[in-house]
Amino acid sequence: MPAARIPMRKIKDVLRLKLEARLSHERIAEALGLSKGVVAKYASLAAAAGLDWPTVQSLSETALERHLVGGRSDRPSQYLLPDFGRVHQELRRKGMTLMLLWQEYVEAHPEQSTWRYSQFCENYRRYALRLKRSMRQIHRAGEKMFVDFAGPTVELADGTRAHIFVAALGASSYTFACATPHERMADWLHGCAEAMRYFGGVPQLIVPDNPRALIANPNRYEPRANDTVLDFARHYGCSVLPARPRLPQDKAKVESAVQVVERWILMRLRHQRLDSVDDVNEAIEPLLAQLNAKPFQKLPGSRANAFAELDAPALQALPAQLWEYASYKTVRVHIDQHVEIDGHRYSVPQALVGQVLEARLTTRGVELLHRGQRVAAHARNAHRGGFTTVVEHLPAAHRAHLQWTPERLVHWGQSIGVATGRTVQRLLEEQRHPEHGYRACLGLLSLVRKYGKPRLEAACLVALELGTARYSHVRDILANGRDRVHAADTPEWTSPQHAHVRGPSYYP
């Protein structure tokens, strides 16, 4: 084992005691805890370099080392140096080993002095350490929540597996874990929502990796999240900032938290028989509390203490309304002022016919957005082929048409008289579809403006007695005199009991 390297600070003390204090090698070695040989070595090196104490005192440790041993270190090595840059690149290949690269290095230079395998590996590791630079991240309180899924899953009684979602806060490492049925977008966002509910607040940033379920475009410089993820972030007033692709050190907090959850929680559940995801969450809950209360190994306190002191006061307040999962779809407004979603049609204002809208779909509702502004909202309807229509969305003529229903027409006829109401009802019943009789009913009821209610009621009574219920017959009863009545069609019209239909002038 090589001897420990003597720091230049102690070598400078050796030269101070020798060149300034003029002490013997033995006394210097005894005072500094060194051997006399070491003292003699550096005293002779200083003499060879022509150094006195004022010069040594003015030099930095780096400059002093260069003066004392620079000549020796600058001497070229007797061994041929490998191309460690190429070695480093080759090791990225799957299956490549340092042993194979060393053998190729030796075989490529048979006539030259080469390193043994141990020296080859040691010098390569020193080279690799100079390449790797790590930065200690400083996490501000309440700023970031790191999220990820654990690798191991929990087997359920029905043969399916529960996936474990993990979240950790940056400043305190306060950890949350829950089980989800899958690792889809809904599971990611449900886990984030449950984590923020558990923490009792909202961080400024949520940092996942780059799962396809969340990130539509995992670009290194301008990643773009899905519309549903952006809707989730708007609801909670935070942002989603994915880590750089293939760089887990960007979310080292949750990588460490995942490892702790796997060891502290999942290993304790390996012998339990759990039937559902809810059962897994019930089993996780007490273990999670123990994990956060567990003391740190190298720091004072625990995750729970650090959370109470750092993250909890800095988190933003949770929104009053619970978040509901929403998906987005692009739709076009048909000529009938409706858009089609999952086979059902929903109305929008008629001015938007032909426009492209964005539909926000939740479990219970449908919101239709035009350039970010909501133009219509409906309750979700699963009836395929059906219509959900708001009357105010339709043109005035269409609204007027929709206002006429069989019940309303019959009620209007009954307000004139019983016979009129019965005539209207028969007009509707004799048609294959009630709407086919709407115009005849409206024409019949409009006669009241010309003849008045009593005469229209009497004419409808005559029509019912004759066994007919047609608009044209009632109109003829009101309009035609005795001399223009066809006996074959209406033989009873000439009887005195119907004189009130034409009024006093009907009979002379």
Side-chain angles (χ1 to χ4, degrees):
M1 182 177 178
R5 184 174 181 273
I6 301 174
M8 288 305 298
R9 172 179 50 80
K10 185 168 283 192
I11 294 173
K12 205 168 187 178
D13 289 338
V14 170
L15 298 179
R16 177 178 57 83
L17 295 176
K18 185 64 182 177
L19 300 176
E20 185 183 37
R22 306 290 181 178
L23 298 180
S24 66
H25 291 177
E26 184 177 359
R27 291 190 63 183
I28 296 173
E30 185 177 350
L32 298 178
L34 299 173
S35 67
K36 288 191 293 182
V38 170
V39 174
K41 171 187 173 182
Y42 286 105
S44 62
L45 288 174
L51 299 177
D52 56 9
W53 172 242
T55 304
V56 171
Q57 190 176 21
S58 64
L59 295 175
S60 65
E61 292 184 1
T62 303
L64 178 60
E65 183 178 19
R66 186 167 58 250
H67 279 79
L68 294 177
V69 297
R72 185 183 63 182
S73 61
D74 291 340
R75 197 182 312 149
S77 174
Q78 61 178 331
Y79 297 101
L80 180 68
L81 298 178
D83 184 1
F84 282 131
R86 188 187 67 83
V87 171
H88 188 72
Q89 292 292 338
E90 288 292 325
L91 280 175
R92 295 183 179 182
R93 298 179 184 272
K94 187 175 181 180
M96 182 58 68
T97 64
L98 275 172
M99 173 63 77
L100 177 58
L101 292 171
W102 173 74
Q103 291 174 351
E104 292 177 353
Y105 155 69
V106 172
E107 292 170 0
H109 307 93
E111 304 296 330
Q112 296 175 282
S113 298
T114 55
W115 278 331
R116 295 290 184 181
Y117 177 66
S118 59
Q119 285 295 314
F120 179 88
C121 294
E122 180 63 23
N123 283 279
Y124 168 71
R125 291 191 181 97
R126 291 177 182 172
Y127 171 84
L129 285 174
R130 293 200 300 270
L131 294 179
K132 185 176 181 180
R133 297 291 183 267
S134 60
M135 181 184 71
R136 185 175 181 84
Q137 298 185 38
I138 305 300
H139 299 292
R140 292 192 292 271
E143 182 185 33
K144 293 180 181 178
M145 179 178 78
F146 299 88
V147 297
D148 201 358
F149 271 92
T153 55
V154 178
E155 185 175 3
L156 302 179
D158 60 359
T160 60
R161 307 193 74 88
H163 300 255
I164 306 303
F165 174 87
V166 180
L169 292 175
S172 63
S173 298
Y174 198 58
T175 302
F176 168 80
C178 71
T180 64
H182 306 284
E183 293 185 21
R184 300 170 183 166
M185 185 192 303
D187 303 300
W188 278 93
L189 298 181
H190 171 75
C192 290
E194 287 298 307
M196 289 186 283
R197 185 184 63 83
Y198 180 80
F199 296 147
V202 180
Q204 298 174 24
L205 292 173
I206 298 175
V207 183
D209 48 15
N210 281 266
R212 292 185 179 180
L214 296 183
I215 308 304
N217 180 24
N219 185 279
R220 180 184 178 93
Y221 304 105
E222 294 181 346
R224 182 175 63 83
N226 291 325
D227 291 337
T228 301
V229 178
L230 296 177
D231 179 73
F232 175 89
R234 280 193 298 269
H235 178 82
Y236 281 99
C238 62
S239 298
V240 177
L241 180 66
R244 292 174 295 175
R246 296 179 295 278
L247 289 174
Q249 61 266 33
D250 283 4
K251 53 183 184 65
K253 280 285 182 179
V254 73
E255 296 291 341
S256 175
V258 164
Q259 186 182 66
V260 171
V261 167
E262 291 173 359
R263 295 175 177 177
W264 182 266
I265 295 178
L266 297 187
M267 290 301 101
R268 285 171 167 78
L269 300 179
R270 68 187 187 281
H271 298 309
Q272 295 188 29
R273 180 180 176 84
L274 301 167
D275 296 329
S276 66
V277 171
D278 292 336
D279 292 342
V280 178
N281 284 323
E282 289 181 8
I284 287 176
E285 187 174 355
L287 296 174
L288 190 60
Q290 296 174 23
L291 169 63
N292 286 317
K294 183 172 175 284
F296 288 124
Q297 291 184 354
K298 299 181 179 180
L299 296 173
S302 63
R303 290 175 176 83
N305 299 139
F307 171 74
E309 295 175 5
L310 300 173
D311 281 318
L315 292 174
Q316 306 172 67
L318 288 167
Q321 185 178 1
L322 294 175
W323 176 77
E324 186 176 12
Y325 180 83
S327 59
Y328 285 80
K329 182 179 181 180
T330 300
V331 294
R332 185 179 292 276
V333 183
H334 298 175
I335 196 171
D336 62 353
Q337 302 99 47
H338 288 73
V339 298
E340 183 176 346
I341 299 172
D342 296 335
H344 193 85
R345 294 170 176 84
Y346 301 89
S347 68
V348 299
Q350 57 95 17
L352 297 173
V353 169
Q355 297 289 325
V356 175
L357 306 182
E358 189 176 36
R360 181 178 182 270
L361 311 176
T362 64
T363 305
R364 295 175 293 179
V366 173
E367 285 185 273
L368 297 166
L369 310 174
H370 180 245
R371 297 180 180 176
Q373 299 295 320
R374 186 171 70 175
V375 295
H378 302 276
R380 190 79 179 265
N381 195 318
H383 175 55
R384 298 185 68 86
F387 288 81
T388 298
T389 304
V390 176
V391 176
E392 288 75 11
H393 290 165
L394 304 180
H398 293 192
R399 292 199 300 269
H401 177 75
L402 288 177
Q403 290 174 355
W404 299 113
T405 62
E407 293 77 12
R408 185 179 178 189
L409 292 170
V410 172
H411 180 71
W412 187 8
Q414 289 174 347
S415 68
I416 297 173
V418 176
T420 306
R422 288 177 58 193
T423 304
V424 170
Q425 190 168 2
R426 285 188 60 181
L427 279 171
L428 297 171
E429 291 174 351
E430 289 177 357
Q431 303 298 329
R432 178 174 297 180
H433 192 279
E435 289 192 12
H436 294 167
Y438 280 8
R439 282 187 287 178
C441 293
L442 291 173
L444 174 69
L445 297 171
S446 67
L447 294 174
V448 75
R449 294 196 296 268
K450 183 175 180 180
Y451 297 102
K453 290 183 179 182
R455 293 183 63 186
L456 178 58
E457 173 68 11
C460 289
L461 180 61
V462 172
L464 292 172
E465 291 177 355
L466 296 175
T468 181
R470 296 180 61 184
Y471 160 72
S472 58
H473 288 175
V474 176
R475 182 195 59 197
D476 289 343
I477 292 172
L478 288 167
N480 294 337
R482 178 175 55 181
D483 54 339
R484 285 190 273 175
V485 173
H486 298 283
D489 293 335
T490 54
E492 294 87 352
W493 287 1
T494 57
S495 61
Q497 62 180 341
H498 299 139
H500 59 285
V501 176
R502 288 285 296 170
S505 61
Y506 189 88
Y507 289 97

